[in-house]
Amino acid sequence: MKAVAILLLAVLAVLFSAAPAAAQSECSFCELAVQYIEGWIAENATEAQIERYLEVVCALAPATEAKYCDDFVNIYLPTMITYLNNNVPPEYACSLAGLCTSADKAKKSMPVEIAEAIKTKLNRRN
């Protein structure tokens, strides 16, 4: 439990670094959060455990970031877990969820055909 608390504080420090809130884009927040989510999945954490970890992070977040953090957990966490469990590369998960803009996508572009195939496959499962 102590290790989880230390890890959560480290996540908090990274997610809410000294950068001003305006500079903290949804895309960069999502990409960083997905890296941690992927790690927790690799450690066999359940969706409920991952949600609790992120809720602790959000509760400790600066007020300017807490609402976005809570929204990310409530709205996008299940989608991110589904994507990662279905082998969507982490660097594309946020784009598929619509959290990265076309400018962000230009940096890491997934071929449209692959993105559409992934969306179709996931939609059939739901």
Side-chain angles (χ1 to χ4, degrees), residues 15-84:
L15 287 177
F16 302 105
S17 63
Q24 186 76 25
S25 75
E26 288 181 349
C27 184
S28 61
F29 178 90
C30 178
E31 289 175 342
L32 191 55
V34 165
Q35 289 176 11
Y36 286 98
I37 294 166
E38 180 184 37
W40 290 324
I41 289 171
E43 294 174 356
N44 296 316
T46 65
E47 183 173 339
Q49 289 171 315
I50 294 170
E51 184 175 347
R52 280 194 304 272
Y53 297 158
L54 289 174
E55 284 173 348
V56 169
V57 170
C58 294
L60 298 172
T64 55
E65 302 291 343
K67 170 85 169 95
Y68 176 73
C69 187
D70 290 335
D71 288 347
F72 178 85
V73 172
N74 294 326
I75 297 168
Y76 296 105
L77 180 61
T79 300
M80 294 302 150
I81 291 173
T82 298
Y83 286 163
L84 295 171

Side-chain angles (χ1 to χ4, degrees), residues 102-123:
S102 58
D104 296 320
K105 289 178 188 176
K107 296 176 197 167
K108 298 182 205 123
S109 180
M110 174 186 279
V112 174
E113 301 81 24
I114 295 173
E116 291 304 317
I118 290 169
K119 285 183 181 179
T120 300
K121 179 182 175 183
L122 293 174
N123 286 336

